[in-house]
Amino acid sequence: MAPPMRAISSVRGLFCLALLAVSTTGRSVARLSTRACASANAAGGRERISINDGWRFSRFTENPDGLSYEDNLKEWILPQGNDFIVNGTKHTRPSGTAPGADVEYVQAFFDDSAWEKVNLPHDWAIKGPFGAPNISTSEGSLPVNGVGWYRRNLSEAETAAGKSVFLDIDGAMSYAAVWLNGELVGGWPYGYASFRLDLTPYLKGSDNTLAIRLDNPLDSSRWYPGAGIYRNVWLVTADETHVSQYGTYATTPEVTSESATVNLVVSVENKGSLSRQVGVVTKVYPYDAALREPGSEVVASFTKQVINVAAGTKQSVRGSVTVTDPLLWGPVPSQTPNLYVAMTTLTGSNGTVIDTYSTRFGIRSIEYVAEQGLLVNGEHVYLQGTCNHHDLGSLGAAFNYRATHRQLEMLQEMGVNALRTSHNPPAPEFLEMADEMGFVVMDELFDVWLEPKVTNDYNVLFADWHEADLRSFLRRDRNHASVVAWSFGNEIPEQSSADGRTLARSLQAIILSEEPTRQTSLALNSAKPGTGLPDTADIIGLNYQGEGQGTTFESAFPAFHAQYPDKMIWSTETSSVLSTRGTYIFPVVGNSSTTVGVGPSPGWDEAALTVSAYELYAPSWGSSPDKVFAQQDRYPYVAGEFVWTGFDYLGEPTPYDTGARSSYFGIIDLAGFKKDRFYLYQARWRANLPMAHLLPHWSFGAERMNRTTPVHVFSSGDEAELFVNGVSKGRKVKEEYEYRFRWDDVVYTPGEIKVVAYKDGAVWAEDSKRTVGAAAQLNVTVDRATIDGDGRDLAFVTVAVVDADGDVVPEAANAITFALEGPGEIVSTDNGDPRDMTPFPSPERNAFSGYALAIVRADRGAVGEITLSASADGLVGGEVVVQAA
Ligand code: GAL
């Protein structure tokens, strides 16, 4: 695809808007959107174009301009939240000259040619180097701090009578302040928030200078926050009378398989100086998932309403339609994520189309049942969820459609049906993918309120911004079928206090007034029934305390269930098991069904900064996956769990506060390579998939010869038999509350281990591992043979170090050099080793536990072959060809 794309919307073509929002990958999508947009009626449409390309950027570690949110920008930026203030006091923009007018970076004349050329989404910190001054390992040791300036000529925007021009920023980290033609327009401090600025009053013809200042303080986050304009940025041009920002709200209060009621609120904003009579018409189309555009059949039409919208005001219309035989949205695999599109057209008094707007939504019912869990369309859906941070490994926080989609594909392969956006709103496209792929989502906003976890986290913004951030978040995300709960706090420090309860009640009231169709939740790690926060949210969300933290089995589920017999309970965060992919530490201590390793334990090698991949070892608050499963099964009224975490993420390298860059919590490592744990979850969550997975590898050196080397098997079978060098070690039955097969007394001798798993007495699946030979060659593969030549789509290239027979050498750590020929570039490399401090853009990368990864991007407009080769001393190299199309 070839952004920037100009999307012009009319009735059919208006879906360009939504398509563009999801079309940052895939030439096919772009072609569709281009076609859909080309058929649009420019006269009646709005335009929404990507302005991701062509920026200049500079980072300053010292304040370069005398500006600061606290000292001089705040009063000017606060009014930005006014649209989202109902309870609190709205802010008035101060009079006089706004700050920054004298800063050269905001001026057209400033020569930025020495600044770095960047395209958005952009994360200035991800290229490193690691070991950035004053940055803790918890923030990933990367240079996130400082002031960043972005500049761009906004030739796409021009002054036009009767038109409004908006800048939509999906996310900028953080304290964004925006100038157009030297004048401060506004900004938004919370780095995870999406926001809109009205550029119209500041435009000068078609030669406009846009300058954006970001400011990341030290100690702003418990994890790697990223830095920069790290999500998509859009320019929206519409008639000055138009559907407001987040201006539609679709709900489905009554749903059966025969018929559904769809209610729609449309908010119309008139930014002009005269009152305007507007006709509002909405038609509902099914969404064609294959073509990713609305189908042609109109399944329902809202009655046309004519309203007078006074100058400078907003007015809403409400309507209701019945859709017969609706195609319901529901999570896979048992249901289908069908979607609909409501296409709204505004017409002027003479009948001309003045605005068009599309809203994608799903028809589905949700029930939160205290004794059973979540019902979607009346069907019980046990929640098999993961918590997910926003970074994309070696790509950093910079949003990338393909990288996000790949993560969700892998989670779905594991059996995940639920996602928690820990602990902040995700990129809008994340929810679009969740809608399309059929996940349910717990959408989360805050990690703290007034009491901090680190000095400069959201606590400094809460008082001024919580209402605006909360309402804006709800309005942005309310039409997503996938969202089933609003979480307004993770492990809030004031969770047990009376003050915390008062605060929680006021936040809960805001949510109820704004979006009452989903229940709310909080993630509570220490509050007890009857104290502080549990009384406030609709769903009881428990972090770790349901299964009993650490070695204890004292579950908090019964007490909460007794105190709140009408509330659904779910485990908002579980396990926190730590492991280093492919690394096995002996002796193996810990009975998976009864206890786990706690604190520095035999499963941790503190000198090597590794944790054993037997998948048993957790910090003091965590538990093995097996123990969590058992506790979930003992309390079947619990709706399910969200495991901490699906993927390793940057920062928070518990248990090694020094020496590591990224987490050990992931079921999948930072590079996207599966840890053994992947198969433990898959065995439970996809019980009908025949699979068996053996661990450890069977290629140890002399130091393990004749030593006890337990063999564990993760399988969806109910019985399994292990063979070591052809000799049976016995057939075992998976007993109640057991989730792995263990042969703990196996003695290592080279050769082969093999497992045969059974289900209901019949052979179900097999797996084997053999002692491999010396590393001989590099096996290079790619996730997709063809990628789009759009400058954004990515190919993920895996290098496996293999022996002469092609089997992966499990402890291989060879130094690999990547090289690329053709119209593309190596964006980053990785190996999933949390200790590897080689900067991510490096084409040199050691393999780790046999594997390394290179991420390749085709150049904008590229067509043809891109060859990625990998070489290593003493080994036969390999290459793979990727077609850019
Ligand atoms: C939780 C917290 C998460 C993460 C996790 C690590 O208490 O909510 O953000 O820090 O611990 O185990």
Side-chain angles (χ1 to χ4, degrees):
M1 93 193 184
M5 291 180 297
R6 186 163 287 256
I8 304 166
S9 60
S10 68
V11 177
R12 171 83 182 205
L14 65 76
F15 198 66
C16 305
L17 308 180
L19 276 177
L20 279 173
V22 297
S23 65
T24 44
T25 186
R27 168 66 59 96
S28 56
V29 175
R31 284 201 190 111
L32 288 171
S33 42
T34 309
R35 194 170 60 219
C37 297
S39 68
N41 167 9
R46 60 171 62 204
E47 293 182 326
R48 182 179 192 246
I49 64 167
S50 165
I51 52 165
N52 282 340
D53 291 348
W55 293 76
R56 291 280 181 170
F57 163 75
S58 187
R59 169 184 177 236
F60 305 84
T61 49
E62 301 292 329
N63 188 330
D65 47 39
L67 297 169
S68 112
Y69 176 78
E70 268 312 315
D71 294 344
N72 42 35
L73 294 170
K74 180 173 165 177
E75 298 307 315
W76 297 80
I77 288 179
L78 279 171
Q80 206 62 56
N82 283 351
D83 271 353
F84 305 96
I85 301 289
V86 176
N87 305 0
T89 312
K90 297 197 189 219
H91 299 272
T92 308
R93 187 177 162 103
S95 53
T97 306
D102 54 346
V103 172
E104 58 183 351
Y105 309 141
V106 310
Q107 308 297 343
F109 63 73
F110 177 71
D111 179 5
D112 59 17
S113 57
W115 287 13
E116 189 183 348
K117 283 184 178 171
V118 297
N119 293 334
L120 311 180
H122 173 242
D123 177 351
W124 81 58
I126 193 60
K127 68 178 183 219
F130 288 103
N134 304 317
I135 302 292
S136 65
T137 54
S138 76
E139 284 191 274
S141 306
L142 289 163
V144 286
N145 63 307
V147 171
W149 275 98
Y150 290 81
R151 283 171 51 92
R152 188 186 192 278
N153 186 283
L154 210 55
S155 55
E156 298 89 340
E158 53 186 298
T159 324
K163 289 280 179 191
S164 289
V165 179
F166 300 106
L167 179 69
D168 282 0
I169 296 184
D170 288 348
M173 189 66 68
S174 55
Y175 290 93
V178 177
W179 285 259
L180 187 66
N181 299 323
E183 290 188 76
L184 180 60
V185 180
W188 202 285
Y190 188 31
Y192 296 102
S194 299
F195 60 98
R196 161 172 286 191
L197 299 174
D198 186 356
L199 301 182
T200 322
Y202 308 95
L203 285 168
K204 290 189 178 148
S206 59
D207 186 15
N208 296 290
T209 302
L210 183 64
I212 301 180
R213 180 189 194 272
L214 304 181
D215 192 352
N216 283 346
L218 290 168
D219 298 319
S220 66
S221 180
R222 297 191 296 118
W223 56 84
Y224 176 74
I229 308 179
Y230 71 104
R231 289 183 183 158
N232 289 312
V233 177
W234 309 94
L235 192 71
V236 176
T237 304
D239 190 284
E240 62 189 7
T241 302
H242 51 257
V243 175
S244 319
Q245 182 196 17
Y246 313 138
T248 55
Y249 180 27
T251 52
T252 55
E254 284 153 38
V255 176
T256 68
S257 53
E258 289 84 43
S259 138
T261 305
V262 178
N263 291 343
L264 184 74
V265 183
V266 180
S267 162
V268 180
E269 175 172 43
N270 178 1
K271 295 203 86 135
S273 53
L274 298 173
S275 176
R276 191 91 179 261
Q277 191 188 76
V278 180
V280 184
V281 174
T282 301
K283 293 186 170 145
V284 179
Y285 300 80
Y287 176 72
D288 186 324
L291 292 178
R292 305 190 74 207
E293 62 178 49
S296 48
E297 176 204 5
V298 176
V299 296
S301 296
F302 289 83
T303 307
K304 179 174 179 178
Q305 296 188 47
V306 179
I307 52 175
N308 281 305
V309 190
T313 68
K314 286 183 192 164
Q315 200 174 319
S316 294
V317 302
R318 285 162 198 278
S320 188
V321 289
T322 301
V323 176
T324 49
D325 300 326
L327 296 169
L328 304 185
W329 183 94
V332 296
S334 60
Q335 301 190 42
T336 308
N338 297 300
L339 293 164
Y340 287 89
V341 178
M343 294 185 162
T344 301
T345 305
L346 305 187
T347 49
S349 49
N350 58 1
T352 54
V353 173
I354 57 176
D355 193 20
T356 48
Y357 190 89
S358 76
T359 307
R360 203 175 67 170
F361 68 100
I363 297 177
R364 48 105 178 102
S365 68
I366 318 169
E367 290 161 83
Y368 310 80
V369 184
E371 291 299 332
Q372 204 180 356
L374 193 78
L375 308 190
V376 181
N377 303 321
E379 182 183 302
H380 178 226
V381 178
Y382 177 73
L383 298 174
Q384 305 171 167
T386 54
C387 299
N388 308 280
H389 265 225
H390 72 310
D391 76 63
L392 297 168
S394 61
L395 302 171
F399 176 78
N400 179 278
Y401 189 93
R402 170 59 198 156
T404 305
H405 205 269
R406 171 180 178 256
Q407 286 199 341
L408 297 187
E409 286 167 13
M410 291 184 74
L411 293 176
Q412 212 157 50
E413 182 192 343
M414 187 166 71
V416 169
N417 63 8
L419 305 166
R420 175 185 180 209
T421 68
S422 45
H423 304 295
N424 39 257
E429 295 86 351
F430 180 95
L431 295 179
E432 286 163 5
M433 287 182 225
D435 291 344
E436 292 174 23
M437 297 172 80
F439 292 95
V440 301
V441 175
M442 170 182 171
D443 201 1
E444 189 157 86
L445 179 60
F446 294 133
D447 191 48
V448 296
W449 298 342
L450 282 169
E451 284 184 34
K453 289 180 182 168
V454 293
T455 317
N456 291 315
D457 61 21
Y458 193 82
N459 80 87
V460 297
L461 291 172
F462 186 87
D464 287 331
W465 284 93
H466 70 270
E467 186 184 355
D469 274 319
L470 180 51
R471 289 189 193 274
S472 163
F473 159 72
L474 296 167
R475 288 181 205 171
R476 189 195 76 163
D477 292 350
R478 63 192 175 187
N479 291 323
H480 288 285
S482 55
V483 175
V484 298
W486 307 115
S487 169
F488 56 110
N490 173 61
E491 299 189 350
I492 295 299
E494 50 267 56
Q495 66 187 279
S496 299
S497 71
D499 287 351
R501 183 186 333 215
T502 307
L503 207 46
R505 289 211 166 120
S506 71
L507 297 172
Q508 167 85 1
I510 291 173
I511 300 174
L512 198 63
S513 71
E514 194 72 50
E515 207 302 293
T517 75
R518 280 90 166 182
Q519 291 204 348
T520 63
S521 194
L522 290 160
L524 307 169
N525 62 323
S526 60
K528 301 294 173 229
T531 67
L533 269 50
D535 285 358
T536 61
D538 302 321
I539 304 168
I540 299 292
L542 300 181
N543 284 11
Y544 306 103
Q545 39 174 340
E547 55 272 22
Q549 288 163 300
T551 49
T552 170
F553 271 71
E554 285 158 24
S555 171
F557 291 138
F560 277 99
H561 193 48
Q563 176 99 9
Y564 306 104
D566 300 327
K567 292 192 182 195
M568 188 179 94
I569 299 179
W570 61 12
S571 293
T572 34
E573 212 171 295
T574 60
S575 186
S576 270
V577 147
L578 307 158
S579 57
T580 307
R581 178 178 55 80
T583 302
Y584 305 94
I585 296 170
F586 301 95
V588 175
V589 176
N591 178 333
S592 44
S593 297
T594 59
T595 188
V596 292
V598 175
S601 82
W604 303 8
D605 183 336
E606 291 187 87
L609 304 179
T610 55
V611 181
S612 178
Y614 274 90
E615 312 293 14
L616 291 167
Y617 306 103
S620 58
W621 57 91
S623 295
S624 68
D626 316 57
K627 183 186 153 202
V628 177
F629 295 159
Q631 295 291 70
Q632 294 267 316
D633 287 346
R634 286 188 180 105
Y635 303 101
Y637 50 79
V638 177
E641 63 165 317
F642 294 89
V643 180
W644 193 265
T645 47
F647 281 75
D648 277 337
Y649 51 93
L650 290 163
E652 207 179 30
T654 306
Y656 303 117
D657 290 340
T658 51
R661 63 175 197 197
S662 50
S663 84
Y664 293 68
F665 292 114
I667 300 170
I668 301 168
D669 77 16
L670 197 76
F673 298 129
K674 295 164 185 163
K675 299 183 188 175
D676 292 294
R677 217 182 318 155
F678 181 94
Y679 300 97
L680 182 52
Y681 286 100
Q682 190 181 57
R684 173 174 168 88
W685 288 348
R686 296 185 67 187
N688 295 326
L689 177 77
M691 52 76 63
H693 176 84
L694 274 171
L695 70 147
H697 66 71
W698 212 244
S699 300
F700 294 103
E703 78 286 352
R704 284 236 64 71
M705 195 65 90
N706 298 322
R707 300 185 71 181
T708 302
T709 305
V711 175
H712 292 192
V713 170
F714 304 147
S715 173
S716 49
D718 50 26
E719 282 184 73
E721 184 169 13
L722 178 72
F723 298 88
V724 178
N725 292 329
V727 178
S728 173
K729 292 289 163 185
R731 183 159 159 169
K732 292 186 184 273
V733 174
K734 214 190 265 171
E735 303 291 349
E736 190 180 26
Y737 304 127
E738 282 183 1
Y739 304 90
R740 67 174 77 191
F741 299 98
R742 299 177 65 141
W743 288 265
D744 279 331
D745 53 1
V746 175
V747 171
Y748 179 73
T749 51
E752 187 195 55
I753 52 174
K754 176 179 167 182
V755 68
V756 180
Y758 297 84
K759 192 156 187 174
D760 299 327
V763 172
W764 177 249
E766 293 183 2
D767 189 25
S768 64
K769 294 231 158 78
R770 68 171 189 87
T771 309
V772 301
Q777 55 196 346
L778 300 179
N779 184 11
V780 186
T781 53
V782 65
D783 64 333
R784 291 181 305 153
T786 303
I787 62 171
D788 296 330
D790 62 359
R792 302 191 181 282
D793 199 9
L794 301 173
F796 288 79
V797 177
T798 296
V799 171
V801 180
V802 298
D803 71 359
D805 291 331
D807 284 336
V808 176
V809 179
E811 293 186 357
N814 305 64
I816 294 169
T817 302
F818 291 99
L820 181 143
E821 272 180 36
E825 62 172 325
I826 297 169
V827 184
S828 63
T829 62
D830 192 13
N831 54 22
D833 181 354
R835 304 161 301 178
D836 189 338
M837 299 292 183
T838 310
F840 287 124
S842 171
E844 320 263 315
R845 178 71 54 186
N846 290 351
F848 176 63
S849 294
Y851 291 98
L853 173 83
I855 304 180
V856 170
R857 178 165 55 208
D859 295 337
R860 166 78 41 76
V863 178
E865 290 188 352
I866 299 168
T867 305
L868 196 275
S869 62
S871 57
D873 279 354
L875 305 184
V876 177
E879 64 178 41
V880 72
V881 175
V882 181
Q883 290 290 336

